[in-house]
Amino acid sequence: MARMNTREKLAQLFGVWVGIDAAGEMAPHQHDFAIEPGDWDRLVGSGIGQLTRVFGTRPVEPLIGARGLARTQREVMAASRFGIPAQVHEECLTGLAAWRATVYPSPLCWGASFDPALVERMGVHIGRSMRRLGVHQGMAPVLDVARDLRWGRIEETIAEDPHLVGTIGSAYVRGLESAGVVATLKHFAGYSASKAGRNLAPVSIGARELADVLLPPFEMALRAGARSVMNAYTDNDGVPAAADPELLTTRLREVYGFDGTVVADYFSVSFLRTLHGVAGTRAEAAAQALSAGIDVELPTVDCFGAPLLLALESGEADLALVDRALERVLRQKCELGLLDPGWSPDPEVLSDGHADLDDDESRAVARALAERSIVLLRNEDVLPLAPGKRLAVIGPRADDPGAMFGCYSFPMHVGVHHPDVPLGIEVRTVLDALGADHDVTHALGCPVEGGEDAGIADAVKVAADAELAVVVLGDRAGLFGGGTSGEGCDATDLRLPGRQEELLEAVLDTGTPVVLVLLSGRPYELSRQADRLAAIVCGFFPGEEGGVALANVLSGRANPSGRLPVSFPAAGVNQPATYLAAPLATRSEVSTVDPTALFPFGHGLSYAPLTWGEATGDAEWATDGVFEVSVPLRNDSDRASSEVVQVYLHDPVAECVLPVQRLIAAARVDLAPGEARTVRIGLHADLTCYTGRAGHRQVDPGEVELRIGASSTDIRTTLAPVLTGPRRFVGFDRVLSPEIS
């Protein structure tokens, strides 16, 4: 650092997105910030901090992309005095966002699996693919807790519960980081609480909601070893996260002890000027972001280049803050080996020429996670399907490979802008997969949005001639209005998009039993049809193996074992409430609106439910001790089965208003036919803490309830231990997770 001039220092603090001008709409306002022709030669001479989306901007053969990356890295190293390579980042929310790479299930599916070990395995596979291609940093996981189901990015969230988000998100971090790839936590913090569920709308939550609901997943994932954090786009009570030193420095650095890099969400430094109006010039925006604690401007240089240089020369920005950010950036490059003597810019894939990004092992993990995540919401003894049954498979999601993918998957994020390029991976639709075992007829019925009456009439004819109708409905993932779910695709209500509800009603009117399969990015309001449906199966966006996984569940080859990570709303389609409700947010006599969920958080049925014994617990629970819960389970069926034992905390008297109940432990248990096991869950008293009136987390003495069950409403046993001892104040070093055996 001492030998670098100011321009060379600044060059390490921004990314460059080559090809942004030719890319489809993948980030808000991206074409406002495309680098000018000729800028590359000027930029590369001082070095470059990061290269943005080398593989995830357009379809490119993996080997060709790797050779191009090696060539670019050599240019970067040769042009600058110190030969420092660029750090390369890619999106990786549902797998590496590259052509021909495995597309794994969406984060809602991770949450539905309640299986951190399997999510960690997925993270390992994603990380290995990235390292082989020369990618160093992944822009995942999303740790925003779902707050308003109308928000378009619900599909990117893991759950509406902070404990589940933190547990599953931490598993992903461990997997990705174990492969040597930097995991980037996003979006820090508050983004998912934007007003009315509108993307990038203001956030007006209180300090307690921030501390007790939105921040714990980040705390858990930082403990898991994440080395990067990305700021939220939004402002919280008028202060944009990108310009908030209390959030990015005081809390993240000084309280949490984070020593990695903070990278700007795409264009968020520029947005301080163009969208938030807290900076008048690019130089002011750069000075504010740098002072707040942002180390790297992404995806491409706008404010941290010449404007920041001007701010330094005028005294508006402090060179010491540049050095602070630079040290973090260079230390991370050291950790990645980029400054080792003899480091080669040639990605590993070039040494063996083996560029299969969708191998059998990766597909097997994708299939296992997809099957684990499928939730059986209702079943009136029609599932599993009898072999050879005459089926009508109807709906806009039945025969479209894109129905399996979320908005940050390569096919929906990039591939849609290149319709002449093949998908690059093998994907079986629900229609394809069911057709292997059954006599199937098909009708579209209607598209996801819009459609003519004739399509619905055709579907009615097909359904009337079948023994059973499988109606496959849901979302089309997209960006900024290009879909019904995804970033910038917010909903005004929670009815199924387009004419899909009309189609469902028409098929129900035929009298043929109907199985509804949902492939969606959010829960939808089904209260008008639920009690008339023979079965309801939810897959969210289950990835490239989703069609096979759904067919396996519907046919009974796989036993459904997913549990809802988000509640399904009942009547009242504009009620954004989640299960984390204070007493006044639940059903009451003083309001005509009933927010009770149609299908609650944690709900999920099985073809072979396990037999529960009576849960038992310790006699005492010290305010600094561990309370052990034991839950005996037995499989009395003739098939393998699974259960998720869920422990909810109810604190009847607290210093502040708390949710009626909240999840503090969840244990997935798999049992073979005839097998019995006892689950033991050690609950440290720290798990009962909340933010008190003084603004500190506290563990209070007194009676609490532990509600142990199969969902947030299906409680099998309630224990009432008394916490004894003094009130304790706890911080970032508190116990965040239970011990499960």
Side-chain angles (χ1 to χ4, degrees):
M1 287 173 55
R3 291 180 287 137
M4 298 172 76
N5 63 41
T6 302
R7 287 183 182 274
E8 290 167 333
K9 290 180 177 183
L10 295 184
Q12 292 298 313
L13 306 187
F14 56 72
V16 175
W17 193 352
V18 179
I20 182 178
D21 51 336
E25 189 73 17
M26 291 186 285
H29 305 274
Q30 70 181 45
H31 297 300
D32 299 336
F33 304 105
I35 63 172
E36 295 296 325
D39 274 3
W40 172 257
D41 291 336
R42 177 179 57 81
L43 292 170
V44 76
S46 297
I48 289 175
Q50 290 218 12
L51 290 171
T52 294
R53 302 193 63 169
V54 174
F55 297 91
T57 297
R58 58 196 175 281
V60 57
E61 285 282 0
L63 280 174
I64 294 174
R67 292 189 191 105
L69 173 57
R71 210 165 36 245
T72 301
Q73 288 281 34
R74 285 192 169 89
E75 289 180 16
V76 171
M77 296 167 70
S80 59
R81 286 197 301 154
F82 299 103
I84 303 172
Q87 190 163 321
V88 182
H89 77 262
E90 287 287 357
E91 299 289 353
C92 59
L93 190 63
T94 58
L96 171 61
W99 192 45
R100 299 188 184 277
T102 303
V103 180
Y104 294 90
S106 68
L108 275 182
C109 295
W110 311 354
S113 78
F114 275 79
D115 194 336
L118 186 52
V119 171
E120 184 171 343
R121 280 178 58 201
M122 177 189 68
V124 171
H125 279 267
I126 294 171
R128 287 173 180 170
S129 293
M130 298 173 80
R131 284 298 300 212
R132 281 181 54 75
L133 290 177
V135 178
H136 312 110
Q137 183 168 357
M139 299 308 182
V142 171
L143 297 180
D144 297 300
V145 178
R147 300 300 283 163
D148 188 327
L149 300 175
R150 297 171 296 180
W151 193 44
R153 304 191 81 165
I154 288 295
E155 65 166 71
E156 298 177 55
T157 70
I158 294 170
E160 65 185 40
D161 176 84
H163 176 78
L164 182 57
V165 173
T167 300
I168 297 295
S170 296
Y172 180 92
V173 166
R174 287 192 297 272
L176 203 68
E177 289 278 359
S178 72
V181 172
V182 174
T184 305
L185 311 181
K186 57 188 197 181
H187 306 88
F188 193 72
Y191 189 21
S192 58
S194 57
K195 287 184 177 179
R198 294 181 62 249
N199 190 47
L200 236 162
V203 175
S204 298
I205 59 174
R208 191 165 288 102
E209 182 177 352
L210 181 70
D212 289 357
V213 177
L214 299 180
L215 289 177
F218 290 94
E219 296 177 79
M220 295 171 75
L222 289 172
R223 294 264 200 98
R227 288 182 283 171
S228 190
V229 170
M230 176 179 277
N231 70 280
Y233 277 134
T234 46
D235 74 86
N236 190 2
D237 195 25
V239 181
D244 188 354
E246 288 295 318
L247 181 69
L248 300 182
T249 296
T250 303
R251 184 183 295 271
L252 182 61
R253 302 287 186 181
E254 297 173 13
V255 177
Y256 295 170
F258 178 65
D259 61 0
T261 57
V262 174
V263 299
D265 202 349
Y266 283 14
F267 310 114
S268 60
V269 178
S270 303
F271 289 168
L272 295 176
R273 176 181 66 90
T274 61
L275 298 184
H276 291 298
V278 297
T281 65
R282 286 179 170 85
E284 288 179 12
Q288 287 189 35
L290 184 70
S291 177
I294 287 181
D295 302 313
V296 182
E297 181 184 24
L298 294 181
T300 204
V301 59
D302 183 56
C303 299
F304 272 25
L308 182 51
L309 185 62
L310 286 175
L312 290 168
E313 292 170 348
S314 69
E316 191 174 1
D318 186 349
L319 186 61
L321 297 179
V322 171
D323 287 342
R324 180 182 72 174
L326 176 63
E327 182 174 348
R328 294 166 183 163
V329 168
L330 292 181
R331 284 189 182 278
Q332 191 159 97
K333 289 190 174 186
C334 287
E335 291 174 4
L336 291 166
L338 300 183
L339 301 186
D340 289 354
W343 178 84
S344 171
D346 291 332
E348 178 187 333
V349 70
L350 296 181
S351 64
D352 56 22
H354 180 66
D356 185 0
L357 302 181
D358 190 31
D359 57 82
D360 291 343
E361 189 177 354
S362 297
R363 293 188 72 95
V365 172
R367 187 183 311 117
L369 184 53
E371 286 184 357
R372 200 70 144 167
S373 69
I374 292 168
V375 187
L376 179 61
L377 299 177
R378 175 181 170 88
N379 186 21
E380 297 299 301
D381 295 325
V382 297
L383 297 178
L385 299 172
K389 207 169 188 68
R390 197 169 72 254
L391 303 179
V393 180
I394 294 167
R397 304 287 76 194
D399 196 30
D400 183 354
M404 304 297 164
F405 305 140
C407 76
Y408 266 78
S409 66
F410 187 87
M412 306 310 292
H413 205 68
V414 181
V416 291
H417 303 295
H418 303 270
D420 297 331
V421 177
L423 195 58
I425 52 176
E426 181 184 342
V427 181
R428 296 183 69 188
T429 66
V430 174
L431 178 65
D432 291 337
L434 284 176
D437 300 305
H438 301 277
D439 179 10
V440 169
T441 54
H442 172 244
L444 174 68
C446 67
V448 172
E449 296 180 281
E452 302 296 329
D453 290 338
I456 294 179
D458 290 343
V460 167
K461 292 177 184 177
V462 170
D465 292 336
E467 294 178 82
L468 187 81
V470 178
V471 182
V472 191
L473 307 178
D475 283 311
R476 182 182 71 256
L479 295 170
F480 313 112
T484 60
S485 173
E487 185 174 359
C489 299
D490 310 314
T492 55
D493 62 44
L494 295 174
R495 294 179 185 268
L496 284 161
R499 302 183 68 181
Q500 293 182 80
E501 185 174 343
E502 184 182 346
L503 170 64
L504 182 59
E505 286 284 358
V507 175
L508 280 166
D509 286 346
T510 66
T512 300
V514 177
V515 174
L516 172 62
V517 176
L518 278 178
L519 292 169
S520 64
R522 62 166 66 84
Y524 281 104
E525 201 265 284
L526 305 173
S527 62
R528 288 166 299 282
Q529 298 83 33
D531 61 356
R532 291 180 284 147
L533 290 164
I536 305 174
V537 177
C538 180
F540 296 113
F541 289 132
E544 66 181 44
E545 287 290 317
V548 174
L550 280 161
N552 287 345
V553 167
L554 292 171
S555 67
R557 287 187 295 271
N559 188 12
S561 64
R563 301 292 184 265
L564 281 182
V566 283
S567 310
F568 268 65
V573 294
N574 277 320
Q575 296 302 306
T578 71
Y579 97 100
L580 286 176
L584 290 180
T586 60
R587 182 179 182 178
S588 71
E589 297 177 355
V590 297
S591 173
T592 56
V593 176
D594 181 1
T596 304
L598 178 66
F599 298 113
F601 175 82
H603 171 71
L605 304 178
S606 170
Y607 297 149
L610 299 184
T611 301
W612 287 58
E614 188 75 12
T616 57
D618 293 337
E620 296 182 356
W621 194 359
T623 54
D624 61 354
V626 175
F627 184 89
E628 186 174 279
V629 176
S630 296
V631 184
L633 297 170
R634 189 176 68 253
N635 185 359
D636 294 323
S637 75
D638 60 358
R639 65 185 301 158
S641 192
S642 185
E643 182 61 274
V644 178
V645 176
Q646 301 166 43
V647 181
Y648 295 87
L649 174 75
H650 168 64
D651 192 341
V653 180
E655 190 176 85
C656 301
V657 176
L658 301 179
V660 173
Q661 61 180 0
R662 58 185 174 90
L663 186 74
I664 60 171
R668 182 176 275 284
V669 184
D670 298 315
L671 296 183
E675 187 179 7
R677 300 179 78 182
T678 296
V679 186
R680 291 186 175 86
I681 304 173
L683 302 168
H684 195 281
D686 287 2
L687 296 172
T688 71
C689 75
Y690 63 93
T691 301
R693 295 189 185 188
H696 304 297
R697 288 188 176 279
Q698 59 192 55
V699 177
D700 289 347
E703 184 175 316
V704 295
E705 283 184 8
L706 296 175
R707 300 172 177 178
I708 301 112
S711 81
S712 57
T713 60
D714 183 5
I715 302 301
R716 306 298 175 87
T717 304
T718 298
L719 303 176
V722 177
L723 284 153
T724 59
R727 170 180 284 175
R728 293 175 54 244
F729 293 96
V730 297
F732 178 71
D733 60 349
R734 70 192 183 280
V735 176
L736 292 168
S737 301
E739 292 290 334
I740 297 172
S741 61

